[in-house]
Amino acid sequence: MNTYRYNYLIVIGFTALAVGLAVYYFDRSPTLLSTTVGWEATPPKHHLFGMLGYNLPTLLHTLSFALLTVGMGRLNNTGAMIAVSSWGVINLLFEAIQHPTLATQLYYLFPNSKLSHFALSGTFDPFDVLAITVGALLSALILKHFQHLSSIPTQLEQHS
Amino acid sequence: MNKDAIFFRATRFVALAMLTIFGFISIIATGGSKVETNRIDCDVSTVTITSTLVGTVSDSGDTVTGNLTITCGTNGIRGVTITGSAGWWNIVSVGPSNASGVIAVAKSAEALGRSDIGTTKTVPIIVNGYDASGNEASRTITISIPIN
């Protein structure tokens, strides 16, 4: 059974998550976060990430949660691929329901629900779909890399 | 299975469950942040919207034109004129940038076709404002758009 250097994956996952949060803090209006996590609502002061800030969080969400799931769950090869695919599909579904057609249908099905409000107030962006795909592929590549590394004994293991 | 193995599995299960919940919450919490919205400086429960929007289907392109008049309590607020392609038009960020900072936030969804002529489409509009306690609040108001 293939295993990974799980702690590395957790570190990379949390780092990606931190970068994603930085985009929201510096580039996006924190008003939304203020209503959900209690951050102070102030207009964004910087545009640190420029154009990247539009789609980077979507990529990083898929990437970080896939790696964190594999790392924290100590998943094997099959589990890891299921985790990557699942987070990719989940992100794609949430992006898809922001499409105006689906968002309105969702509103008619579940009026005044948090989900339909999310869908209506969101913006469907084809580049987010691309970002999710890239995020999933990138996490698969990182997993592949660490799977390869795990077959190489560390110095500590060689000395013991 | 010994105690250590059970503890390991239980810890792993809890960690994955928390991670999954956090993952979903973060998607919901950050969704919509691309929309440039202004918050109406009034109690959303007092907001009313009247619409004269009319959809037109034609070979040269579907359009929705007309006027949205937003009222906050007893205060009349300048109307919002909408013109655009029916398939993708939305009312997000289109609105008066007047001193009172009022804006309608909405999204339409109907791609029109010949079969839609004579029907009426309903479009939910989200109004961002405050509740009676002064906390940020949103309300969805549905308007009807006849299609000619």
Side-chain angles (χ1 to χ4, degrees), chain A residues 3-154:
Chain A
T3 55
Y4 301 94
R5 296 271 167 87
Y6 296 113
N7 290 342
Y8 290 167
L9 297 178
I10 293 171
V11 170
I12 296 170
F14 274 120
T15 306
L17 206 56
V19 175
L21 274 173
V23 177
Y24 283 101
Y25 188 79
F26 290 112
D27 283 35
R28 301 272 181 99
S29 168
T31 305
L32 189 86
L33 286 170
S34 73
T35 59
T36 49
V37 295
W39 281 12
E40 188 184 352
T42 51
K45 297 180 185 67
H46 314 281
H47 287 284
L48 205 63
F49 296 86
M51 292 293 285
L52 267 181
Y54 285 108
N55 306 102
L56 190 62
T58 312
L59 188 156
L60 292 174
H61 187 278
T62 312
L63 175 75
S64 60
F65 278 92
L67 295 183
L68 286 172
T69 303
V70 177
M72 292 169 83
R74 300 289 197 256
L75 302 182
N76 62 16
N77 203 19
T78 310
M81 286 308 116
I82 291 172
V84 171
S85 312
S86 299
W87 280 114
V89 169
I90 288 165
N91 275 282
L92 283 173
L93 281 176
F94 274 93
E95 188 62 33
I97 61 170
Q98 294 177 59
H99 189 282
T101 305
L102 289 178
T104 306
Q105 294 305 320
L106 201 64
Y107 172 76
Y108 294 141
L109 283 173
F110 309 104
N112 301 319
S113 69
K114 282 216 181 295
L115 188 66
S116 63
H117 184 268
F118 160 84
L120 279 169
S121 59
T123 306
F124 175 78
D125 184 351
F127 286 107
D128 273 344
V129 174
L130 183 67
I132 292 164
T133 311
V134 172
L137 288 174
L138 202 58
S139 54
L141 277 176
I142 291 171
L143 286 171
K144 188 86 181 159
H145 177 68
F146 279 95
Q147 187 188 58
H148 168 69
L149 279 186
S150 67
S151 62
I152 304 168
T154 61

